[in-house]
Amino acid sequence: MLAAPINPSDINRIEGVYPVRRPVPAVAGHEGVGEVHSVGSAVKGLSPGDLVMTYPPSPGTWQTHVVKDKSLWHKLDRGTPVEYAATVTINPLTALRMMEDYMDLRSGDVIVQNGATSMVGQCVIQLAKLRGIHTINIIRDRSGSDEAKEKLKKLGADQVYTESQMDVKNVKSLLVCS
């Protein structure tokens, strides 16, 4: 395994509060990206050096080596950035479900979200931009906030504010998308 994210659901599983519990002992992690080290003689379509992700997401990605049936690996283009490949199965789909399952969003609508620097938040921004939906994004006050704002705007964010900027009397004047 080259990279595997720490998702809130992973922490919930470790804490024992996630609704689905695996028998212990168990290795945490539910998505990630790896590089094929070796394959059996009957395996076709994968070779040592191939970049792969678990698909569908499956448990046990927080370890250095994973052995799974070929049907649980999806080969990726070698040029795919590892940090994106490691997180492509859970966060983008979460963003998509949030945008499609709760309201009928149309071009010209506006989404206001906090946690915009998270992977889900970044995916919401990109999906919204593709659909002509405006985004107003709220991020934490911290060093590097200006850089984070610029990064989100490059992804397609319409407006980005820190939490302290939202702590004003006339918030409505800030929340205008053209």
Side-chain angles (χ1 to χ4, degrees):
M1 295 303 294
L2 300 173
I6 301 171
N7 288 310
S9 61
D10 295 319
I11 301 301
N12 292 157
R13 283 184 172 97
I14 292 167
E15 293 171 330
V17 297
Y18 195 77
V20 178
R21 295 190 179 144
R22 294 190 24 235
V24 292
V27 176
H30 215 70
E31 67 176 336
V33 64
E35 182 176 345
V36 175
H37 177 65
S38 61
V39 296
S41 59
V43 174
K44 306 295 180 219
L46 289 179
S47 303
D50 285 346
L51 192 65
V52 293
M53 67 178 206
T54 56
Y55 188 81
S58 58
T61 59
W62 289 7
Q63 53 190 334
T64 58
H65 292 77
V66 177
V67 177
K68 292 187 184 279
D69 187 81
K70 184 205 178 271
S71 66
L72 296 175
W73 295 107
H74 178 76
K75 185 176 174 178
L76 299 170
D77 181 277
R78 192 69 186 154
T80 305
V82 169
E83 63 273 18
Y84 294 146
T87 61
V88 75
T89 55
I90 294 177
N91 290 310
L93 296 178
T94 300
L96 183 65
R97 298 292 307 263
M98 285 177 17
M99 290 179 66
E100 292 188 349
D101 291 359
Y102 299 99
M103 295 189 71
D104 183 22
L105 294 169
R106 300 175 190 269
S107 181
D109 286 347
V110 179
I111 295 172
V112 178
Q113 68 169 339
N114 64 350
T117 57
S118 71
M119 188 60 74
V120 171
Q122 292 178 52
C123 290
V124 166
I125 290 167
Q126 293 172 79
L127 289 168
K129 182 71 172 179
L130 288 170
R131 296 172 177 202
I133 299 167
H134 300 287
T135 60
I136 298 171
N137 304 276
I138 304 164
I139 65 173
R140 291 188 185 109
D141 288 286
R142 62 174 182 218
S143 64
S145 291
D146 290 336
E147 293 83 4
K149 285 180 179 184
E150 288 308 310
K151 178 182 178 185
L152 296 179
K153 287 180 180 179
K154 286 181 182 174
L155 290 175
D158 292 288
Q159 303 290 329
V160 184
Y161 301 102
T162 61
E163 290 173 337
S164 64
Q165 286 178 298
M166 299 306 294
D167 190 21
V168 295
K169 296 213 184 291
N170 190 5
V171 171
K172 188 175 181 182
S173 68
L174 293 175
L175 304 181
V176 177
C177 282
S178 50

